[in-house]
C-alpha cells in the first residue's frame, strides 16, 4: 500500500508545493471550522446568558426600587419623631386640646400619609393602633382598617423586633375600588413599639401586584420573569391564573445559583436568578434557549458561509500563483540536472528582484567560479600542510633545548659545581613549565614549586639570598590557578621590594567559606600612598598598563601586576578581588581573594 502511494506521489516540486499548500490550508481550515463551530456555540450561549442577566438586572433594579418604596413609607411612620409622638398619645388615649385641635392633628397625619404615596403609583398606607384607632390614606368605604386584625398573618406581627418587616406576599385585593382592575395586592407590615418594647400600633403598606407586573412587560420576546417569595409562591409575573400558586419549575431552578441552561421536559431553557436582598424573595427569568440565540446564531451562520466562500476563492488564487511562482524553479531544476551530468557551461538565465531571481543569478555566478574555487582549495590545502609542519617544528625546538640543558646540568654536576647545576636545573624546570601547552591552568602546589625554583634561581644571581616562607592550607593546594600568576608578584618583591637584598618573602593561603585568601608579603622598603594610588590606577585601567620598571626587569613573565589581575579576572570573573597594603620601611602585602569553583567542591 505504501509502495502504491509512493508511486502516485508527484515528483515535480510544483505539484508537491501545490499539494502541500492545499493541505496546509485545508487541514487548518477544517480544524478552524470545527473549533469555530464549537466556540461559536459557546459564544452564543455566553452572549444569551449575558443578555438574560442584563435584562434581569434592569428588572431587579426596578422591583427593588418599588419594594424599597414600601420600606421607606414604613420607616417614615416608625421613626418620624413628631408622628411617632402623636401616635403614642393617641394609642394611650392622652390626646391634648379640644375636638377641633384633635381634628386638625389627625388631619395633619392623614396629609403626611398622602404625601408618602409615589407619584403615579398608588400605595395604601394604614396605621392601626392598639386602641383600635387608625389613620389611612384611603376611604373607609374601600376597606375597613380594623379588618386587618382578622388577617391570618396579623398574629405573626408580634414576633417582629425593631425595624423588622413582615412581607405578606400576594393576596386578593381588599380594596373594593380596585378589585376589578387590580385583582391582587402585595402587603408589608411592621410593628410600632414603645421604648419598653410594648406594641402600640402597626403600620401596613399595600401596593397592587400589577405595579410590579408591568415592570416585566419591557423584556425581549420569549423572556418571562416571575417574582417568588421564600416559599416559592409566585408573587408577580407569569400568567394571571398562576399568581399566588407554587412555581411549577421550582425543582428545576432551585439549584441554579445565577444563570445556566436547564433542561425541562426535554426542552432547554435559559434560566437566570437574582435575589431581593431584604426579604428573601427572588426574581427568576426563563426563556426557551432556541429563542434566546436565534438572532446571534443567524449572524454567526452568515459569517461562516462568507468564510467558506472566501476560502475556496483564495484556494483557487493560491494554486494559480504557485504555478506562476514556480516556473523559475522548474528552469533551475533542469539546469541543475545538466550540471550534474558534467555540463558546466549551461546557465539558467533566471533573473528577477525576488529570491528566486537572485538564486538564479547566484547559481550562474557559482558555475563561473567553480574552477577558481577548485584552485583556491588546492592552494589552501598546501598552505595548511606547511603550517602543520611549522607547528611540529616549533614543538620540537623547545624540547630539544630542554633536553640539552639537562645534559649540561649532568656534566656540570659531574665536574663538581653543584651551584651551577642547581641553577641550570631550576632554569630547566622553569623552561619546561613555560613551553608546556597541555593546559593553561595548574594546581596551586605546582605553582608553588615553580615559584620556589624561581626564587632559588634568583638567589644564585644575588650575593645574599632572600628567604621564601610558605604557609599554605592543605586544601588550598588543589585549587586551579593560571600558570605563572605568582611569579610576577614574587619578582616585584625581590627586585622592587627587597631591592635584591636579603629579606623575607612569605606566601600564605587560607581557606575561607567562599574563597581562598592568598597573600604575598615582603619586608622590604614598601611604598607611599601616592605610589599605591598609581598602581591601583594601572590595575583598574581597561586599556592595560603601560610598561614600567617591574615589567622591564621581569625575566620570564613580562606581564606585570596589571596582566596578573587581568588573567585572574578573565578566569574567575568579578568574584576575584585584589588588595594592596604598603608602608615605607615596613614592606608590601598583596591579598588576592580567589573564589571557589565547581572542581574544588567536587574534589
Amino acid at each position: 500500500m505504501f509502495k502504491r502511494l509512493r508511486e502516485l506521489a508527484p515528483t515535480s516540486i510544483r505539484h508537491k508545493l501545490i499539494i502541500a499548500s492545499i493541505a496546509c490550508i485545508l487541514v487548518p481550515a477544517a480544524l478552524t471550522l470545527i473549533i469555530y463551530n464549537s466556540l461559536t456555540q459557546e459564544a452564543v450561549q455566553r452572549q444569551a446568558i449575558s443578555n438574560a442577566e442584563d435584562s434581569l438586572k434592569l428588572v431587579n433594579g426596578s422591583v427593588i426600587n418599588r419594594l424599597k418604596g414600601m420600606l421607606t413609607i414604613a420607616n417614615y411612620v416608625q421613626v418620624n419623631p413628631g408622628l411617632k409622638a402623636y401616635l403614642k398619645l393617641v394609642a394611650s388615649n392622652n390626646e391634648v386640646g379640644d375636638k377641633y385641635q384633635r381634628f386638625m392633628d389627625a388631619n395633619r397625619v392623614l396629609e403626611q400619609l398622602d404625601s408618602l404615596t409615589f407619584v403615579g403609583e398608588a400605595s395604601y398606607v394604614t396605621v392601626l393602633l392598639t386602641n383600635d384607632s387608625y389613620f389611612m390614606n384611603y376611604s373607609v368605604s374601600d376597606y375597613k382598617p380594623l379588618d386587618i386584625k382578622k388577617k391570618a398573618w396579623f398574629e405573626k406581627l408580634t414576633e417582629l423586633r425593631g425595624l423588622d418587616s413582615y412581607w405578606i406576599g400576594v393576596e386578593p385585593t381588599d380594596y373594593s375600588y380596585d378589585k376589578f382592575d387590580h385583582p391582587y395586592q402585595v402587603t408589608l407590615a411592621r410593628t410600632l413599639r414603645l421604648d419598653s418594647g410594648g406594641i402600640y400600633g402597626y403600620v401596613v403598606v399595600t401596593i397592587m401586584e400589577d405595579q410590579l407586573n408591568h415592570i416585566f412587560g419591557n423584556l425581549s420576546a420569549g423572556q418571562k420573569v416571575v417574582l417568588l417569595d421564600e416559599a416559592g409562591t409566585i408573587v408577580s409575573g407569569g400568567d394571571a391564573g398562576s399568581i399566588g400558586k407554587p412555581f411549577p419549575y421550582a425543582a428545576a431552578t432551585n439549584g441554579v445559583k445565577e444563570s445556566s441552561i436547564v433542561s425541562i421536559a426535554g426542552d432547554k431553557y435559559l434560566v437566570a436568578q437574582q435575589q431581593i436582598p431584604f426579604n428573601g424573595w427572588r426574581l427568576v427569568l426563563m426563556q426557551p434557549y432556541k429563542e434566546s440565540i436565534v438572532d446571534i446564531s443567524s449572524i454567526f451562520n452568515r459569517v461562516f458561509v462568507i468564510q467558506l466562500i472566501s476560502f475556496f476563492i483564495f484556494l483557487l488564487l493560491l494554486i494559480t500563483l504557485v504555478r506562476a511562482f514556480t516556473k523559475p524553479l522548474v528552469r533551475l531544476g533542469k539546469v541543475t540536472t545538466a550540471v550534474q551530468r558534467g555540463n558546466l557551461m549551461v546557465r539558467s538565465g533566471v533573473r528577477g528582484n525576488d529570491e528566486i531571481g537572485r538564486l538564479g543569478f547566484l547559481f550562474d555566478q557559482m558555475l563561473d567560479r567553480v574552477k577558481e574555487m577548485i584552485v583556491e582549495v588546492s592552494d589552501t590545502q598546501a598552505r595548511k600542510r606547511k603550517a602543520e609542519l611549522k607547528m611540529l617544528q616549533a614543538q620540537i625546538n623547545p624540547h630539544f633545548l630542554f633536553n640539552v640543558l639537562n645534559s649540561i646540568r649532568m656534566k656540570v654536576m659531574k665536574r663538581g659545581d653543584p651551584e651551577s647545576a642547581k641553577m641550570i636545573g631550576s632554569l630547566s624546570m622553569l623552561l619546561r613549565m613555560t613551553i608546556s601547552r597541555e593546559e593553561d591552568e595548574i594546581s596551586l602546589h605546582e605553582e608553588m614549586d615553580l615559584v620556589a625554583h624561581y626564587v632559588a634561581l634568583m638567589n644564585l644571581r644575588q650575593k645574599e639570598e632572600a628567604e621564601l616562607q610558605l604557609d599554605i592550607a592543605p586544601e588550598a593546594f588543589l585549587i586551579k590557578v593560571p600558570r605563572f600568576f605568582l611569579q610576577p608578584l614574587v619578582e616585584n618583591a625581590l627586585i622592587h621590594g627587597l631591592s635584591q637584598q636579603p629579606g623575607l618573602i612569605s606566601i600564605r593561603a587560607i581557606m575561607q567559606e567562599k574563597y581562598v585568601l592568598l597573600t604575598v608579603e615582603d619586608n622590604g622598603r614598601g611604598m607611599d600612598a601616592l605610589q599605591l594610588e598609581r598602581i591601583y590606577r594601572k590595575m583598574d585601567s581597561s586599556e592595560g598598563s603601560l610598561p614600567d620598571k617591574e615589567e622591564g626587569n621581569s625575566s620570564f613573565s613580562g606581564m606585570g601586576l596589571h596582566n596578573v589581575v587581568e588573567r585572574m579576572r578573565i578566569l574567575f570573573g568579578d568574584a576575584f578581588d585584589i588588595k594592596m597594603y604598603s608602608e615605607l620601611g615596613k614592606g608590601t602585602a598583596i591579598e588576592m581573594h580567589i573564589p571557589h569553583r565547581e572542581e574544588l567542591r567536587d574534589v
Side-chain angles (χ1 to χ4, degrees):
M1 179 178 179
F2 291 104
K3 185 177 181 181
R4 174 68 66 86
L5 291 176
R6 284 196 296 269
E7 293 176 353
L8 295 177
T11 57
S12 171
I13 187 173
R14 173 184 292 178
H15 295 158
K16 290 181 179 179
L17 186 58
I18 291 175
I19 294 175
S21 301
I22 294 174
C24 290
I25 292 178
L26 283 178
V27 174
L31 293 175
T32 301
L33 293 178
I34 295 172
I35 297 173
Y36 175 82
N37 185 43
S38 176
L39 295 179
T40 298
Q41 293 179 359
E42 294 180 3
V44 168
Q45 180 174 327
R46 287 196 301 268
Q47 187 62 43
I49 291 175
S50 177
N51 293 341
E53 290 177 348
D54 293 341
S55 299
L56 192 58
K57 284 181 181 179
L58 295 175
V59 172
N60 189 41
S62 300
V63 171
I64 288 177
N65 288 337
R66 191 66 191 92
L67 297 179
K68 280 186 177 180
M70 299 173 66
L71 287 174
T72 302
I73 294 173
N75 290 338
Y76 180 83
V77 174
Q78 190 172 16
V79 301
N80 183 271
L83 185 58
K84 184 177 179 180
Y86 175 74
L87 294 176
K88 286 181 180 181
L89 290 175
V90 175
S92 60
N93 297 317
N94 291 325
E95 295 180 80
V96 296
D98 53 15
K99 291 183 178 181
Y100 178 76
Q101 181 65 35
R102 294 180 180 181
F103 172 77
M104 293 302 296
D105 291 341
N107 191 54
R108 279 195 295 272
V109 173
L110 295 177
E111 289 177 355
Q112 291 185 55
L113 296 181
D114 286 335
S115 67
L116 296 177
T117 304
F118 288 161
V119 177
E121 298 288 350
S123 297
Y124 295 89
V125 183
T126 305
V127 179
L128 180 61
L129 303 179
T130 53
N131 63 352
D132 291 341
S133 298
Y134 51 80
F135 301 89
M136 69 284 185
N137 62 348
Y138 53 87
S139 173
V140 179
S141 61
D142 283 346
Y143 181 69
K144 294 180 181 180
L146 292 177
D147 290 344
I148 293 176
K149 292 185 175 182
K150 301 177 183 180
K151 294 287 187 178
W153 48 262
F154 184 77
E155 296 297 330
K156 297 180 180 180
L157 299 183
T158 58
E159 301 174 3
L160 300 178
R161 293 291 182 270
L163 297 178
D164 291 347
S165 301
Y166 184 77
W167 292 87
I168 289 86
V170 67
E171 55 186 357
T173 302
D174 294 325
Y175 304 93
S176 57
Y177 181 78
D178 290 324
K179 280 186 178 181
F180 182 76
D181 296 327
H182 311 288
Y184 296 100
Q185 67 183 24
V186 178
T187 304
L188 162 71
R190 185 180 290 180
T191 59
L192 302 175
R193 293 181 179 271
L194 299 170
D195 294 338
S196 62
I199 298 175
Y200 69 88
Y202 307 90
V203 57
V204 181
V205 182
T206 302
I207 63 172
M208 297 298 106
E209 177 272 334
D210 53 9
Q211 293 182 20
L212 300 175
N213 200 1
H214 86 275
I215 298 174
F216 309 148
N218 297 326
L219 298 172
S220 302
Q223 291 182 342
K224 293 183 180 180
V225 177
V226 293
L227 178 62
L228 306 180
D229 61 13
E230 294 177 327
T233 303
I234 299 176
V235 176
S236 181
D239 300 331
S242 62
I243 295 177
K245 297 180 180 179
F247 185 49
Y249 306 115
T253 59
N254 283 338
V256 179
K257 294 183 178 180
E258 293 183 356
S259 55
S260 181
I261 307 299
V262 178
S263 180
I264 301 176
D267 296 326
K268 287 185 177 182
Y269 287 86
L270 193 157
V271 178
Q273 299 189 83
Q274 289 192 3
Q275 294 288 330
I276 305 298
F278 44 80
N279 60 3
W281 295 0
R282 57 177 172 145
L283 284 168
V284 180
L285 181 147
M286 294 187 64
Q287 183 181 15
Y289 183 66
K290 292 181 179 179
E291 296 182 9
S292 65
I293 65 172
V294 60
D295 294 334
I296 305 174
S297 182
S298 63
I299 294 173
F300 282 114
N301 289 335
R302 286 196 293 269
V303 172
F304 176 78
V305 173
I306 293 172
Q307 286 183 337
L308 195 61
I309 295 173
S310 301
F311 164 72
F312 283 108
I313 292 174
F314 282 104
L315 181 61
L316 294 176
L317 180 62
L318 174 64
I319 294 174
T320 303
L321 292 176
V322 167
R323 290 180 62 86
F325 293 156
T326 53
K327 284 184 179 180
L329 291 177
V330 174
R331 170 63 180 166
L332 284 173
K334 294 179 179 179
V335 173
T336 304
T337 303
V339 172
Q340 183 183 12
R341 294 172 180 173
N343 185 5
L344 299 181
M345 302 303 296
V346 66
R347 298 295 181 268
S348 67
V350 175
R351 298 293 184 269
N353 296 325
D354 57 3
E355 290 81 357
I356 298 177
R358 289 194 293 273
L359 178 62
F361 174 73
L362 294 175
F363 184 77
D364 292 344
Q365 277 192 335
M366 179 189 67
L367 294 177
D368 293 336
R369 295 188 57 190
V370 166
K371 294 181 180 179
E372 297 176 5
M373 292 176 65
I374 293 175
V375 174
E376 291 177 1
V377 170
S378 300
D379 293 341
T380 301
Q381 292 295 330
R383 289 194 298 270
K384 183 178 179 181
R385 286 193 294 271
K386 291 180 181 179
E388 290 175 351
L389 290 174
K390 289 182 179 180
M391 184 179 296
L392 182 60
Q393 185 65 32
Q395 292 178 352
I396 293 174
N397 291 337
H399 284 284
F400 171 75
L401 180 60
F402 171 72
N403 293 331
V404 170
L405 281 175
N406 278 333
S407 300
I408 295 173
R409 183 176 66 88
M410 296 301 295
K411 289 184 179 181
V412 170
M413 288 184 65
K414 289 180 179 180
R415 294 180 179 180
D417 191 355
E419 290 187 359
S420 298
K422 183 178 180 181
M423 179 182 292
I424 295 173
S426 298
L427 177 61
S428 176
M429 178 60 68
L430 291 176
L431 178 61
R432 181 177 182 180
M433 297 294 291
T434 303
I435 66 175
S436 176
R437 298 183 182 180
E438 294 179 358
E439 53 184 6
D440 295 328
E441 298 179 33
I442 60 176
S443 300
L444 182 59
H445 71 85
E446 295 179 281
E447 181 70 10
M448 290 301 172
D449 291 340
L450 189 150
V451 169
H453 285 292
Y454 173 73
V455 173
L457 184 62
M458 294 299 291
N459 283 335
L460 293 174
R461 294 175 54 190
Q462 300 177 168
K463 295 180 179 180
E464 298 181 80
E465 296 183 356
E467 181 182 355
L468 177 64
Q469 186 179 61
L470 302 179
D471 184 8
I472 309 298
E475 299 86 351
F477 280 119
L478 298 176
I479 67 171
K480 292 291 186 178
V481 294
R483 188 191 306 272
F484 284 100
F485 88 104
L486 282 179
Q487 182 270 334
L489 306 183
V490 176
E491 182 180 16
N492 290 340
L494 286 170
I495 297 176
H496 301 290
L498 302 179
S499 299
Q500 298 182 340
Q501 297 297 322
L504 175 65
I505 300 175
S506 63
I507 301 177
R508 297 187 300 273
I510 302 174
M511 295 295 295
Q512 303 288 344
E513 181 180 358
K514 296 182 179 180
Y515 57 88
V516 177
L517 179 59
L518 185 64
T519 305
V520 179
E521 185 177 359
D522 66 72
N523 59 354
R525 61 185 181 180
M527 294 179 288
D528 56 18
L530 184 62
Q531 289 176 302
L532 273 178
E533 182 181 357
R534 179 175 60 85
I535 293 175
Y536 269 118
R537 191 164 51 248
K538 287 184 178 182
M539 284 195 303
D540 296 335
S541 173
S542 60
E543 298 178 357
S545 62
L546 296 173
D548 55 19
K549 294 180 179 180
E550 69 181 29
E551 294 181 358
N553 295 331
S554 176
S555 301
F556 294 97
S557 67
M559 294 181 293
L561 183 59
H562 171 81
N563 302 79
V564 173
V565 173
E566 285 298 312
R567 292 177 65 200
M568 296 297 286
R569 285 179 177 167
I570 290 174
L571 183 60
F572 296 100
D574 294 335
F576 170 78
D577 189 22
I578 184 170
K579 295 179 181 178
M580 293 184 62
Y581 305 95
S582 184
E583 188 175 349
L584 285 174
K586 294 185 178 181
T588 303
I590 300 176
E591 289 186 357
M592 289 183 289
H593 296 249
I594 304 174
H596 296 315
R597 296 196 296 179
E598 290 297 329
E599 60 266 18
L600 183 57
R601 288 199 291 271
D602 292 341
V603 171

